[in-house]
Amino acid sequence: MENAPPRWKGICQQGEKFNSSHCNRKIIGARWYVKGYEAEFGKMNTSDGVEYLSPRDASGHGTHTSSTAAGAPVQNASFMGLAQGVARGGAPFAWLAVYKVCWATGGCSSADILAAFDDAIFDGVDVLSVSLGSPPPLDTYIDDVLSIGSYHAVTKGISVVCSAGNSGPYSQSVINTAPWVITVAASTIDRAFPTVITLGNNQTFVGQAFYTGEDMNEFHPIVNGQDIAADDSDEDRAKSCVSGTLNATLARGKVVLCFATRSQSSAIVATSAVLDVQGAGVIFAQFPTKDVTLTWGIPCVQIDFAIGTSLLTYMDMTRNPIVKFSPTETAVGQQISPEVAFFSSRGPSSLSPSVLKLMYLSVWLQPDIAAPGVNILASWSPAYSPFQSDMTQKHLPPLDFSIDSGTSMSCPHISGIVALLKAIHRTWSPAAIKSALVSTASLKDEYGQCTVAEGAPHKQADPFDYGGGHVDPNKAIAPGLIYDMGSSDYFHFLCSMGYNHTTISSMTRSSRRCNKSANFLVNLNLPSITIPELKNNLTVSRKVTNVGPANSIYTAFVEAPAGTEVIVKPSILRFNSTTRNLKFKVIFCSTLRVQGRYSFGNLFWLDGFHVVRIPLTVRTVIDNFYAQT
């Protein structure tokens, strides 16, 4: 643990193929947790795959995320020659401590996760990057293990960054929405992996793949999966190449065209099914997305439904249709970015307060910020080599780098940025750092157009997709104004959610008594305002802290949600050397007579240099609506 900070109390816990010498000037701490796992799931069985009873990573996920957050620069990094360049983490000079709580054999124990949070707090970490979570239905904040562990970390001044989940583009799928954490959605980058498909008539189409071999650079027959269904299967299942649905005789040595369906939308499943019947390759037609699926054994090129239909037309009009693939290339700057990834979970949160059912007032939360999470190149564990999942059993070299997608990948991007912000602003609280990120985020793509969210169909992105927007690290350094909070605010948030005092005390380890307020939730000092049920005029309050020049004057500018009149009082905030904190009120008046419509807007504070933005989200409710109609 050479050159570790003097306050560091962590250890380098030894185990299988990991000893104290593996800790160095980068990795200054490592722990592993298995007691909770074995108590919950039984004795760990590592005979079915590679795993180490130690901090050593066997699956690649931990290596990928940690190197994204804090990896040192590596020259000529690539994934089998693709995406070649310098790879480095967001905070390359930051120290790294590893807390291994999940296992390649599957499963993470709640007890182990909480033990890791406790150790990390005691050890003296500054930022916790947590690429973990479970899809809905969600546990309450007082039952959710990540909510509990992060609460104690944040109250000790430790920023906690979490993944938003990979269940998009469906509404109410976002996870890890406790207001004390930073919840990260996934966005695309401008790097693509074009792969040319050439037909027998020399017509070409471009899909995306991770194909670096030469086996398909010659023509092969192409067949439609639906046309080669096995005798004991039906055409609809064969259409999407479900395992066991294809006729082995008709598929052998051919490229199979598969179409994603609602029940089977995985290119991995399709590739496995074609590989089982000794097919030569896969063309997988699906909804438009920039996320490329990593498959092994045979090449798989992803296309959209329009190109898939064109291929069917060629096949119908040709007696012996054939096709070949050109090896994948790396293209930078040829696709618009950022866009919110298709898989990225969306708000509002499915957790709502039980105590406020009659008040039509609550806090519905969404992701806080978006960051790159699609086709991300980062370090990988050589222990998890391709041949382990390659059903051809060909020996492929161990990987030092791999490409992966998910909010697990976007989370450490923000973690690295948070580490840099904490290094610059050492006195800022986790809430202040979160505010700086959210209030300065970008709503535009690289061409100045409104950011798009992948979906069905694609649409203009809104706060339910990306929270405050796409992260802008340079602007977050000097946000001008911040919306700050502390442990007292979080405690009263739990009180306002309707949990009883005993339960809250058990979670928070605090003897503080609840002081319930009907308006506390909507007045929680978040850098956003969300009103899920606006029936009558509503006044919301916020408090800002000036972290810019002492003598500053900010003027309010409102883009009101459609059908809503918004008034800000006062509309001008004046700061000086003795006045650093000011409150303001936002009054919402509904003019929209449509039931249940979400509308989005923004409140900007402008001082000539800083632009501090608060997303506004309003849903209108009308009394006795169904009786009126």
Side-chain angles (χ1 to χ4, degrees), residues 418-434:
V418 170
L420 297 178
L421 290 176
K422 289 182 79 74
I424 297 170
H425 302 289
R426 294 191 176 276
T427 61
W428 280 13
S429 69
I433 289 175
K434 175 176 176 175

Side-chain angles (χ1 to χ4, degrees), residues 68-383:
T68 299
V74 177
Q75 302 290 328
N76 295 319
S78 74
F79 170 69
M80 301 180 72
L82 298 175
Q84 189 166 16
V86 178
R88 69 173 181 85
F93 295 106
W95 291 293
L96 184 66
V98 177
Y99 300 84
K100 182 178 176 181
V101 296
C102 295
W103 299 87
T105 51
C108 318
S109 163
S110 296
D112 290 337
I113 293 173
L114 286 175
F117 269 109
D118 282 345
D119 285 339
I121 295 169
F122 172 81
D123 290 346
V125 303
D126 295 302
V127 183
L128 275 165
S129 187
V130 186
S131 290
L132 300 175
S134 301
L138 304 182
D139 289 330
T140 63
Y141 294 124
I142 56 175
D143 293 317
D144 178 65
V145 61
L146 293 184
S147 171
I148 297 169
S150 61
Y151 176 90
H152 289 279
V154 169
T155 57
K156 294 295 192 295
I158 301 167
S159 292
V160 181
V161 187
C162 293
S163 303
N166 301 325
S167 299
Y170 306 108
S171 176
Q172 300 185 26
S173 58
V174 66
I175 62 174
N176 297 328
T177 58
W180 46 84
V181 305
I182 302 173
T183 309
V184 188
S187 59
T188 64
I189 59 178
D190 67 350
R191 183 172 58 205
F193 299 95
T195 306
V196 176
I197 300 170
T198 303
L199 307 182
N201 61 4
N202 287 327
Q203 189 177 9
T204 60
F205 296 95
V206 179
Q208 288 206 80
F210 297 129
Y211 165 54
T212 59
E214 299 180 355
D215 294 344
M216 288 304 298
N217 203 15
E218 59 182 37
F219 284 106
H220 286 72
I222 181 173
V223 293
N224 182 10
Q226 186 172 352
D227 295 337
I228 59 167
D231 292 339
D232 58 349
S233 184
D234 61 77
E235 292 183 354
D236 286 340
R237 286 167 55 81
K239 173 184 177 180
S240 59
C241 300
V242 175
S243 180
T245 62
L246 303 177
N247 183 301
T249 302
L250 298 177
R252 186 175 295 111
K254 298 181 176 67
V255 173
V256 182
L257 174 61
C258 310
F259 281 79
T261 62
R262 187 167 185 173
S263 60
Q264 202 306 87
S265 58
S266 169
I268 294 176
V269 170
T271 303
S272 176
V274 174
L275 191 58
D276 284 342
V277 292
Q278 300 180 38
V282 178
I283 299 177
F284 193 71
Q286 60 181 8
F287 47 79
T289 178
K290 295 179 173 64
D291 179 22
V292 184
T293 301
L294 179 58
T295 60
W296 298 104
I298 54 176
C300 173
V301 182
Q302 295 168 238
I303 58 173
D304 61 27
F305 287 126
I307 295 177
T309 303
S310 297
L311 294 182
L312 283 180
T313 301
Y314 161 73
M315 294 163 66
D316 290 341
M317 297 177 62
T318 306
R319 177 171 295 181
N320 295 306
I322 54 176
V323 66
K324 69 176 180 179
F325 304 152
S326 299
T328 298
E329 297 181 355
T330 303
V332 178
Q334 295 185 15
Q335 66 180 16
I336 297 174
S337 67
E339 295 182 355
V340 178
F342 186 93
F343 58 76
S344 186
S345 291
R346 314 296 164 93
S349 172
S350 56
L351 274 179
S352 59
S354 59
V355 73
L356 297 174
K357 288 181 180 178
L358 301 178
M359 297 180 182
Y360 300 104
L361 182 64
S362 64
V363 174
W364 281 20
L365 301 171
Q366 52 261 346
D368 293 307
I369 196 79
V374 177
N375 303 332
I376 303 302
L377 178 78
S379 298
W380 197 251
S381 171

Side-chain angles (χ1 to χ4, degrees), residues 523-535:
N523 292 328
L524 188 66
N525 207 37
L526 292 166
S528 63
I529 297 175
T530 302
I531 304 171
E533 296 182 340
L534 179 65
K535 294 175 60 177

Side-chain angles (χ1 to χ4, degrees), residues 489-545:
D489 298 281
Y490 302 135
F491 180 87
H492 289 300
F493 167 80
L494 293 171
C495 293
S496 298
M497 289 292 287
Y499 309 132
N500 64 52
H501 173 73
T502 302
T503 305
I504 294 174
S505 297
S506 176
M507 170 183 168
T508 63
R509 301 299 180 188
S510 170
S511 59
R512 185 188 291 132
R513 303 294 300 184
C514 282
N515 181 19
K516 293 183 180 180
S517 169
N519 291 326
F520 184 85
L521 281 179
V522 79
N523 292 328
L524 188 66
N525 207 37
L526 292 166
S528 63
I529 297 175
T530 302
I531 304 171
E533 296 182 340
L534 179 65
K535 294 175 60 177
N536 304 304
N537 292 354
L538 177 67
T539 300
V540 176
S541 67
R542 288 291 188 273
K543 182 174 72 174
V544 288
T545 301

